[in-house]
Amino acid sequence: MSAAPTRSAGCNLNGGSLAFKSLTTRVIFISITLLAFCISSFAFLNLRREQTQLINSARESTDLLLQTIERSIYNSMRIGNTEDTQIILEMVGQNRNLLAVRIFHPHGIVLKSSHPDEVGKPVNDNDYQLFINNRHEGIFAVPGQGEVLKMQKPIYNDEPCYTCHGRKIRIIGVLDVNYSLVETRQRVVEATKLFVFSTIAIVLFLSASISLVMLKFVRKPLNLIVANMARVEQGDLSVRIKSEGKDEVGRLSASFDSMVDKLDIAKKEIEQCHFQQMERADRLASVGEMAAGIAHEIKNPLTGIAAAITIIKDDFEPADPRTEIINEVLEQIKRLDKTVNDLLFFGKPAQPEPTFTNLNRIVEKTLMFASQHKSGKNIEKKLELEETLPPVYVDPKQIQQVFLNLILNALQAMQNGGVLTVGTSLVESDGKQWARVSIADTGPGIPAQLLSKIFTPFFTTKAQGTGLGLAICHKLVTQHGGELSVVSEDGVGTAFTVDLPVSGITAKEQEQGKQTLEPRN
């Protein structure tokens, strides 16, 4: 029973948090908050100013009344007419805001008052303390009367007063006026309500206006852009916004339309390029199949021709000049046989027979075999092997074919001599270990415009060659889960790198693999 309300509350909280993640919601909230704070602060300062002015106005009125009463009673008392003083106090006390107007002795006894029943009695303690503390005014909370502004002014003994009071007394009395602040406080409350209600009304009106402006001119266009971007993500490149605004949102919409236009153009170009590549791949596949068929038909007769010429060669004496011609024919037959084998292998490569292989031994053996080639006679050879290189799980024959092809290409590139560097190392990439074999030469290098084409089938820069050697190498390395890459600088040299994944076998298994893979003399 209690699960449903809990789930509903959770949904509401999630909905509220998602709504607050909206940019326009945050801008509206921040704007309204700042607006409310600024207007409230301004209203509060004005309210305090209004309250101060009302209190000051009451104080000025009371002070003016006090001075008027002082002058009136001074004239009456100067001629010794004390009864007129009492009448004046009673008349002034009829003002509804004046709670009391009295004259009391410095010792605290009321001498004259607008309330005759106070005469002869001690003055109120607040009034007397105000006089004792030598204060001119003060605001006090009086039970049953609210806040009261009490103002006092001492009556000094001047020369006209010497007849009745003598010369020794300095202050003959204290004029005390009690002014009610109830009406003033009511005006303050009314002003406060007015400021509060007007502030709330202004904040609500401006909040609604800001919200409408943000929703219409910001959120709506942004939602339209988001919706159209979603359609673009789904592959619909026909959407356009076509905003006519010149503001930031309008420029964003124009940029969106421009981006979609460029994506549409790029998509069409990619589709056209893909179609052309597919056509080219189909043609290459057809050519490959045809070449493999032709090569198969050529290989058997070619073997027979080579055997027949060899027999004819055996009939000639070593000094016979025709022997040189026969040798040249046999050399050309070997070249044709290699070309046929490459075509057959590329058209239908043999499936690898992988085993745990020691790359260092294969590299040493391949370099020693390639060094016998006539192209490597005047070339310095450097062998840099990583002795702790773990075994790799590959087909030794196919990998040796890759290394041999790359080394022979490097030797042929250095016709005027140079340095051939062959090395192995252990590298780590993407959290995996790789056995790396690098073959670098100091030849003329490969031009940058040709570097991206060297692994393309049938692409070659040699006068004699099928353009299948590097393509076959790339295919073999890829079949073993590795990667063949090249770095070349024109006029400096070329470096081929073969990365093969290291097998995850234990040290004991590695040792057993090394013993199994050691070459036997």
Side-chain angles (χ1 to χ4, degrees):
M1 296 295 292
S2 60
T6 303
R7 182 176 181 181
S8 176
C11 292
N12 291 334
L13 289 175
N14 291 335
S17 61
L18 289 175
F20 196 74
K21 289 181 179 178
S22 170
L23 174 62
T24 52
T25 303
R26 292 200 300 270
V27 171
I28 291 173
F29 176 78
I30 294 173
S31 301
I32 292 175
T33 302
L34 293 175
L35 181 66
F37 175 77
C38 294
I39 294 179
S40 300
S41 301
F42 180 75
F44 175 76
L45 294 176
N46 279 331
L47 180 61
R48 291 294 300 270
R49 178 173 168 272
E50 184 71 16
Q51 291 175 347
T52 304
Q53 287 182 348
L54 289 174
I55 296 296
N56 289 336
S57 177
R59 184 178 289 109
E60 291 173 358
S61 299
T62 305
D63 187 61
L64 180 61
L65 182 61
L66 186 66
Q67 293 178 9
T68 302
I69 296 172
E70 181 188 17
R71 284 194 296 269
S72 298
I73 64 176
Y74 179 78
N75 292 328
S76 298
M77 293 180 68
R78 186 179 57 176
I79 61 178
N81 192 355
T82 58
E83 294 180 359
D84 287 349
T85 302
Q86 178 65 30
I87 295 173
I88 292 172
L89 294 181
E90 290 179 4
M91 290 178 60
V92 174
Q94 294 178 3
N95 189 317
R96 58 190 178 90
N97 289 326
L98 286 177
L99 300 177
V101 182
R102 63 176 69 90
I103 299 174
F104 63 87
H105 194 273
H107 292 162
I109 303 300
V110 177
L111 301 177
K112 304 290 182 181
S113 174
S114 59
H115 302 288
D117 56 342
E118 287 185 346
V119 177
K121 296 180 180 180
V123 72
N124 184 278
D125 186 62
N126 290 332
D127 296 82
Y128 191 66
Q129 290 297 325
L130 198 65
F131 168 70
I132 293 299
N133 294 327
N134 197 26
R135 292 172 57 192
H136 177 63
E137 63 180 56
I139 297 177
F140 300 91
V142 179
Q145 295 179 347
E147 286 187 327
V148 177
L149 173 63
K150 297 178 180 292
M151 296 189 72
Q152 296 178 354
K153 191 169 185 179
I155 301 175
Y156 293 99
N157 188 13
D158 293 335
E159 184 175 352
C161 303
Y162 291 164
T163 304
C164 300
H165 300 283
R167 295 176 178 272
K168 296 181 179 180
I169 302 174
R170 182 170 178 268
I171 298 177
I172 59 177
V174 179
L175 179 60
D176 182 32
V177 176
N178 291 355
Y179 187 88
S180 175
L181 295 179
V182 174
E183 184 176 342
T184 302
R185 289 301 179 188
Q186 290 178 351
R187 293 172 62 186
V188 169
V189 171
E190 292 175 358
T192 302
K193 291 180 180 179
L194 177 63
F195 274 108
V196 170
F197 290 146
S198 60
T199 300
I200 294 175
I202 292 173
V203 170
L204 290 177
F205 174 75
L206 293 179
S207 300
S209 301
I210 292 174
S211 300
L212 289 176
V213 170
M214 291 294 296
L215 292 176
K216 182 176 181 180
F217 295 104
V218 178
R219 187 170 185 174
K220 185 177 179 181
L222 289 180
N223 285 341
L224 179 60
I225 294 175
V226 171
N228 287 333
M229 288 185 70
R231 292 175 60 185
V232 171
E233 288 179 351
Q234 295 174 358
D236 185 5
L237 298 180
S238 63
V239 295
R240 298 294 184 274
I241 298 178
K242 297 181 180 179
S243 175
E244 298 179 356
K246 301 299 182 181
D247 56 3
E248 290 81 357
V249 177
R251 292 198 297 270
L252 178 62
S253 301
S255 299
F256 175 82
D257 290 344
S258 176
M259 178 191 70
V260 175
D261 287 337
K262 293 179 181 179
L263 285 176
D264 193 17
I265 295 173
K267 180 183 178 183
K268 293 177 180 178
E269 292 177 351
I270 291 173
E271 289 177 349
Q272 184 178 2
C273 181
H274 178 69
F275 179 74
Q276 293 174 352
Q277 291 291 334
M278 291 297 294
E279 286 186 337
R280 184 172 179 272
D282 289 341
R283 289 197 300 268
L284 286 176
S286 301
V287 170
E289 292 178 1
M290 181 180 66
I294 295 175
H296 186 73
E297 295 297 328
I298 292 175
K299 186 172 179 61
N300 291 334
L302 198 62
T303 303
I305 293 172
I309 293 180
T310 302
I311 295 174
I312 293 173
K313 177 185 174 183
D314 292 338
D315 293 338
F316 294 151
E317 294 294 333
D320 194 322
R322 290 174 294 180
T323 303
E324 184 178 354
I325 298 175
I326 294 297
N327 288 334
E328 182 63 27
V329 171
L330 289 174
E331 186 67 27
Q332 294 300 321
I333 290 174
K334 287 181 181 179
R335 189 174 69 83
L336 288 173
D337 186 63
K338 180 180 181 303
T339 301
V340 169
N341 288 332
D342 287 346
L343 286 171
L344 287 173
F345 183 86
F346 188 77
K348 189 176 182 181
Q351 291 297 322
E353 297 178 1
T355 182
F356 292 114
T357 305
N358 189 325
L359 281 184
N360 284 342
R361 303 290 82 81
I362 291 182
V363 170
E364 288 179 341
K365 186 189 299 184
T366 306
L367 182 60
M368 180 183 65
F369 179 74
S371 297
Q372 308 305 317
H373 194 271
K374 60 182 180 179
S375 301
K377 299 299 182 181
N378 300 322
I379 295 175
E380 179 183 355
K381 304 169 188 67
K382 293 183 179 180
L383 187 61
E384 301 173 353
L385 301 180
E386 174 66 48
E387 296 298 333
T388 61
L389 192 70
V392 292
Y393 193 64
V394 295
D395 186 326
K397 294 181 180 179
Q398 292 186 357
I399 293 301
Q400 185 175 13
Q401 179 182 350
V402 172
F403 295 157
L404 180 61
N405 199 337
L406 295 177
I407 292 175
L408 288 177
N409 284 348
L411 294 176
Q412 293 171 4
M414 297 183 287
Q415 297 180 0
N416 299 324
V419 179
L420 173 67
T421 304
V422 181
T424 60
S425 59
L426 184 64
V427 297
E428 186 171 345
S429 177
D430 297 332
K432 296 181 180 180
Q433 286 189 326
W434 301 80
R436 173 170 292 178
V437 179
S438 59
I439 300 170
D441 63 67
T442 58
I446 303 174
Q449 63 271 21
L450 303 180
L451 200 60
S452 61
K453 302 178 181 179
I454 60 174
F455 296 123
T456 304
F458 306 110
F459 176 80
T460 180
T461 58
K462 299 178 182 178
Q464 296 181 349
T466 61
L468 291 174
L470 289 177
I472 291 174
C473 292
H474 188 272
K475 195 169 189 177
L476 290 176
V477 173
T478 303
Q479 280 183 341
H480 287 83
E483 182 179 351
L484 175 60
S485 58
V486 60
V487 176
S488 182
E489 186 174 351
D490 198 10
V492 177
T494 304
F496 283 87
T497 301
V498 179
D499 288 336
L500 296 170
V502 173
S503 60
I505 62 176
T506 62
K508 183 177 180 181
E509 291 172 335
Q510 290 183 16
E511 186 63 29
Q512 292 176 354
K514 289 180 180 179
Q515 294 175 1
T516 304
L517 298 170
E518 280 291 335
R520 298 181 180 179
N521 298 326

